Amino acid sequence: MAVSRLGRTWRDLSVSKKLYIVVGLMAFLITLELFTLKYTVNILSAVRAFVGGEGLWSKAQKNALLDLQSYIIFRDEKYHNSFIQQLEVPLGDREARKELMRSQPDLPKIYEGFIKGRNHPNDVSSMTNLILRFHSISYLKDSIEAWTQADVLIDEVLKVEEDIHKEIQATPKHLPLKRQHEFLTKLAKLNIRVTALADRFSYSLGEASRWVEGTLLITLILLVLLVESTGLFLTFKFSKNLVKTLGELNIAAQKIGTGDFQQQAPIDSNDELGQLSMALNQMAKNLKALAGEKQTAEKASHIKSLFLANMSHEIRTPLGAILGFVEILKDPTLSEEKRAQYLEIISRTGKTLMAIINDILDLSKVEADKLEINKEAFSLNQMIEDLKNLLQIRCEEKHLMLYIEPAPGVPDYIFSDQVRLRQILINVIGNAIKFTEKGSISIRYRTEGQNLVFLIEDTGPGISDSGKMELFKPFSQVDETFKKSTVGTGLGLVLTRKIAELLGGDVRLERSVPGQGSLFSVTIPFSVPGDLQTQTEPAARTLPAAEDLALLAGKRILLVEDAPENQILISHILEKHGLEVDVADNGRKALDLLNDEDFDVILMDMQMPVLDGYSTTEILRKSGYVKPIISLTAHAMREDQLKCLASGCNEVLTKPVNQAALIHTVSRYLNS
């Protein structure tokens, strides 16, 4: 039962945790193996130290006996003193042995004894641990017993030395030869017995060394086998389960990929593979539920791919031109004429890129039902006049004639969405100008009941029957020849029709004859406003009058903007018209500046680090700040503009910054 629970727990662990456990276990076993190897080396080092210590012990004992023999024969005290010094080695080792045999040995005393025995200080610790841990093993036990018996014989040697020393001190001349012979014989017998015990100690210690070496070698081999077998077992077990599960997932995925949505991947665990199986099964279930919508999904996927490919091309083309001409402008040898020409190209290409991005954003808002319609009273005649001024330049560049013919009875002021109507007309008329190489563009407009109808006719190449089928589809242009000779996203007419439909109208191709031209109609509902005072002024496109610009000199502007390039650009525009500009790159720095200095107008970027423009404006308004705050934001949607106004901004200007609009707005607030 416990093994079953353990197995289930193991299966449910995540793959990463299983790998951690396997690696951790292997690391533990390898560490254990290394510690065992280190332990083995320490033990063998201790045995080596004891063998060396035994050699020092035997040498000192033999030298002591030789000195004592010389003392008997020559009666010279130097031999007696040398005997005492030599015997300090076995006596020091005896102190260490006696302390080691205690139940609670005193380690400093053991250390002191072994040092007297002339053992190396670095070996004392391992020698001590060897005796304390393995003294009960037969080989070491026999070595210690031989060591103990040898210490008893050392006591006998000391007793003989004491007798010899007394007799020599008591006898004024040399000891009688007979007495010398007796002492020398006794010392020789003691030497034989001590040597035998030293040999026994060395032999037993050698046996102990071989036993320890063999035992630890077997232990190491077993540990190596354990590490290898554990690693192989865990690897085999883990890889077997992994291969099995991946194989089942692969089979299930292949069958689901061929349309067999009844296929289910087996779920054997709750780890990532089990979760992947559950996800695959859920996907099969969802695909089964969505099988009826397969064609729609494929079409959407195709449109998405087409959109991405087309947008990549249409955005990168003008962007590449801009970057290329910027590089050319870096050439200091470039003539002023060429420089002006290339700057004009950059400006025109930038506007084209902006138009593409606006089309994409507008289309996305239309598709998401987020495009807002804002109807207001405005002058239709003024809007048409503005369009004429704008489009006349494009017609003159291509040597085309532009005709605008209003029908009688069209009201001057109407109530509709001026911005969207203007966008629709620019798109349709702009297409006519783009595809017409010679001839004219004719714009006629009239009222039909509560509808305003515009007829846009060109003398362009016309549209084939197949082209008419593709005309209002996304990303399409009517002919490969025109694709190569003109630029565009293929979104213009699609967006135009969708906006017209949101206004309650339509955009249609009325007729088109290849080689003769096309006629488009734009129908938009309108009403006549009862109160003409609700009309709005058109956006500023030109700079204020010279007398108004003169009043800007010396006025202080605080520009709160985090982007260095925008700081340089906007500061240049303002300073060119005599304004003094201070810059803060986040709201916190702006608040600090406003605490110490006074400014006439604040230009506030809304998205910044540390403290954004919304929070900064709210803090200023709550503190009683009443001077103008003009928002500068790249968020051009209406809800974003409303958010700026709600935070306390007086007005909203969108990026990229229009120089005329910026100066006109700043001038209006400074001169009011």
Side-chain angles (χ1 to χ4, degrees):
M1 184 65 72
V3 174
S4 176
R5 284 200 302 270
L6 183 61
R8 185 65 188 175
T9 302
W10 171 259
R11 286 196 301 273
D12 290 343
L13 285 174
S14 65
V15 174
S16 59
K17 288 184 178 179
K18 288 176 183 175
L19 289 174
Y20 289 148
I21 291 174
V22 171
V23 173
L25 182 59
M26 294 295 293
F28 170 75
L29 291 174
I30 291 172
T31 302
L32 182 62
E33 182 179 344
L34 291 174
F35 273 113
T36 304
L37 181 62
K38 183 177 183 300
Y39 188 64
T40 302
V41 171
N42 287 340
I43 290 176
L44 293 176
S45 176
V47 172
R48 173 199 57 76
F50 264 113
V51 170
E54 185 275 332
L56 293 172
W57 191 95
S58 296
K59 180 180 179 182
Q61 170 261 325
K62 291 185 181 299
N63 287 339
L65 290 178
L66 288 174
D67 287 334
L68 193 56
Q69 290 172 357
S70 298
Y71 182 53
I72 293 171
I73 297 171
F74 300 110
R75 291 176 55 92
D76 192 337
E77 282 298 321
K78 71 177 182 179
Y79 294 115
H80 181 262
N81 293 334
S82 177
F83 166 81
I84 298 300
Q85 290 177 356
Q86 293 292 340
L87 217 57
E88 285 181 358
V89 173
L91 291 177
D93 288 338
R94 178 166 68 178
E95 290 178 12
R97 177 186 61 78
K98 287 183 176 181
E99 196 62 36
L100 284 167
M101 295 299 102
R102 295 180 182 275
S103 58
Q104 294 182 340
D106 186 343
L107 295 180
K109 287 185 177 181
I110 295 172
Y111 180 85
E112 184 180 352
F114 277 132
I115 292 300
K116 288 181 179 179
R118 298 180 185 175
N119 295 284
H120 196 280
N122 292 340
D123 292 333
V124 171
S125 178
S126 59
M127 295 168 68
T128 302
N129 290 331
L130 180 67
I131 298 298
L132 291 176
R133 292 173 182 171
F134 299 103
H135 65 273
S136 59
I137 295 174
S138 59
Y139 301 110
L140 273 179
K141 190 174 182 180
D142 187 55
S143 296
I144 293 171
E145 184 178 343
W147 187 2
T148 304
Q149 292 176 6
D151 283 340
V152 172
L153 292 179
I154 292 298
D155 287 337
E156 292 185 20
V157 170
L158 286 171
K159 189 174 182 307
V160 171
E161 178 271 334
E162 185 180 351
D163 293 340
I164 293 171
H165 186 63
K166 286 181 179 179
E167 288 194 21
I168 288 176
Q169 293 295 323
T171 305
K173 295 183 179 180
H174 291 287
L175 291 175
L177 291 177
K178 180 180 179 182
R179 192 60 177 160
Q180 289 182 21
H181 179 71
E182 290 176 357
F183 281 128
L184 291 173
T185 301
K186 188 179 291 187
L187 290 175
K189 291 179 179 180
L190 285 172
N191 184 49
I192 292 171
R193 292 169 63 190
V194 170
T195 300
L197 290 172
D199 292 342
R200 177 183 164 190
F201 176 85
S202 297
Y203 178 81
S204 298
L205 200 61
E207 289 294 315
S209 173
R210 285 185 285 276
W211 177 84
V212 169
E213 183 179 356
T215 302
L216 292 178
L217 182 61
I218 293 172
T219 303
L220 280 174
I221 292 173
L222 291 175
L223 280 174
V224 170
L225 291 175
L226 178 63
V227 170
E228 296 298 329
S229 60
T230 301
L232 289 174
F233 172 76
L234 292 175
T235 302
F236 173 76
K237 186 73 175 175
F238 184 71
S239 61
K240 180 181 177 182
N241 291 335
L242 187 62
V243 170
K244 175 177 174 290
T245 305
L246 289 176
E248 293 170 343
L249 282 170
N250 186 41
I251 293 172
Q254 288 179 351
K255 291 185 176 180
I256 292 172
T258 58
D260 182 7
F261 302 136
Q262 301 291 340
Q263 178 67 34
Q264 293 285 299
I267 301 172
D268 299 325
S269 64
N270 290 326
D271 60 6
E272 288 91 342
L273 295 176
Q275 294 171 13
L276 184 59
S277 298
M278 288 187 279
L280 187 62
N281 293 340
Q282 184 62 41
M283 182 184 72
K285 182 179 178 181
N286 293 340
L287 287 173
K288 181 180 177 182
L290 297 173
E293 301 176 13
K294 178 181 178 182
Q295 186 175 0
T296 304
E298 289 177 348
K299 183 178 179 181
S301 177
H302 175 71
I303 290 175
K304 177 183 176 182
S305 299
L306 188 59
F307 174 82
L308 292 175
N310 203 68
M311 288 308 98
S312 174
H313 173 266
E314 295 303 333
I315 291 175
R316 290 168 68 92
T317 298
L319 188 59
I322 291 171
L323 294 175
F325 279 109
V326 167
E327 288 298 318
I328 293 175
L329 288 173
K330 293 179 180 178
D331 184 0
T333 64
L334 198 65
S335 68
E336 287 300 320
E337 180 182 356
K338 288 290 186 181
R339 191 178 300 276
Q341 178 187 355
Y342 296 159
L343 285 172
E344 177 60 28
I345 293 173
I346 290 173
S347 176
R348 188 167 61 248
T349 307
K351 292 175 182 177
T352 301
L353 182 59
M354 179 59 67
I356 293 171
I357 294 172
N358 286 337
D359 279 355
I360 296 170
L361 292 175
D362 282 344
L363 183 63
S364 66
K365 286 189 282 185
V366 170
E367 295 293 344
D369 294 329
K370 291 293 181 68
L371 188 71
E372 294 186 2
I373 301 300
N374 300 298
K375 294 185 178 182
E376 59 188 1
F378 64 93
S379 172
L380 178 61
N381 291 339
Q382 181 64 53
M383 188 197 77
I384 295 297
E385 184 65 24
D386 290 343
L387 280 177
K388 180 181 178 181
N389 293 333
L390 175 66
L391 299 171
Q392 185 71 48
I393 298 173
R394 295 177 60 182
C395 287
E396 289 175 356
E397 289 175 352
K398 300 186 70 173
H399 306 290
L400 301 174
M401 298 300 295
L402 177 64
Y403 302 104
I404 299 179
E405 303 173 9
V410 176
D412 183 6
Y413 286 95
I414 65 171
F415 192 81
S416 185
D417 190 324
Q418 177 183 199
V419 174
R420 297 307 173 189
L421 176 56
R422 175 187 173 88
Q423 184 177 3
I424 291 170
L425 293 175
I426 287 177
N427 278 346
V428 177
I429 301 169
N431 263 359
I433 297 172
K434 179 169 62 175
F435 290 105
T436 301
E437 296 301 324
K438 61 181 180 178
S440 63
I441 308 297
S442 175
I443 304 167
R444 303 187 302 275
Y445 61 99
R446 64 179 184 269
T447 58
E448 293 182 359
Q450 290 301 115
N451 290 327
L452 188 61
V453 179
F454 292 86
L455 298 175
I456 297 95
E457 187 172 9
D458 63 63
T459 57
I463 303 171
S464 65
D465 291 338
S466 60
K468 294 174 185 178
M469 301 293 292
E470 302 293 321
L471 192 59
F472 290 98
K473 293 182 179 180
F475 322 117
S476 63
Q477 290 184 350
V478 297
D479 190 273
E480 289 295 327
T481 303
F482 302 131
K483 286 184 182 180
K484 295 175 182 177
S485 61
T486 62
V487 295
T489 63
L491 294 176
L493 287 178
V494 179
L495 177 60
T496 300
R497 171 173 275 184
K498 287 183 179 292
I499 294 175
E501 289 172 348
L502 285 175
L503 291 172
D506 195 9
V507 176
R508 298 174 58 186
L509 173 64
E510 297 296 336
R511 70 170 184 270
S512 184
V513 179
Q516 296 183 19
S518 304
L519 174 64
F520 284 85
S521 68
V522 175
T523 304
I524 300 296
F526 78 100
S527 61
V528 178
D531 182 7
L532 298 184
Q533 298 304 316
T534 57
Q535 63 186 356
T536 58
E537 296 182 5
R541 295 181 180 85
T542 59
L543 292 172
E547 58 270 18
D548 292 331
L549 288 175
L551 296 175
L552 301 182
K555 298 292 185 180
R556 299 195 65 193
I557 305 293
L558 175 58
L559 173 61
V560 189
E561 167 66 57
D562 65 316
E565 57 274 16
N566 282 338
Q567 293 174 0
I568 296 171
L569 173 63
I570 298 170
S571 296
H572 174 77
I573 294 172
L574 296 172
E575 290 170 349
K576 185 173 69 172
H577 292 90
L579 293 160
E580 297 180 6
V581 182
D582 286 66
V583 178
D585 58 14
N586 61 65
R588 179 59 57 197
K589 291 183 179 179
L591 293 175
D592 293 340
L593 274 174
L594 287 164
N595 285 333
D596 300 327
E597 301 185 46
D598 187 38
F599 297 92
D600 297 294
V601 173
I602 298 175
L603 298 178
M604 182 74 70
D605 182 24
M606 305 314 287
Q607 188 169 325
M608 296 179 293
V610 184
L611 188 66
D612 62 29
Y614 301 104
S615 301
T616 306
T617 304
E618 289 173 358
I619 292 171
L620 287 171
R621 293 310 188 200
K622 287 179 181 178
S623 67
Y625 191 83
V626 296
K627 290 191 176 182
I629 301 177
I630 300 172
S631 167
L632 294 177
T633 177
H635 299 294
M637 294 187 179
R638 182 170 176 78
E639 53 267 29
D640 297 314
Q641 297 182 20
L642 292 175
K643 183 179 178 183
C644 294
L645 296 174
S647 68
C649 293
N650 297 86
E651 193 157 337
V652 180
L653 294 177
T654 58
K655 298 175 182 176
V657 176
N658 180 288
Q659 177 177 344
L662 175 62
I663 297 301
H664 191 281
T665 303
V666 171
S667 174
R668 178 156 46 86
Y669 280 99
L670 288 175
N671 297 330
S672 62

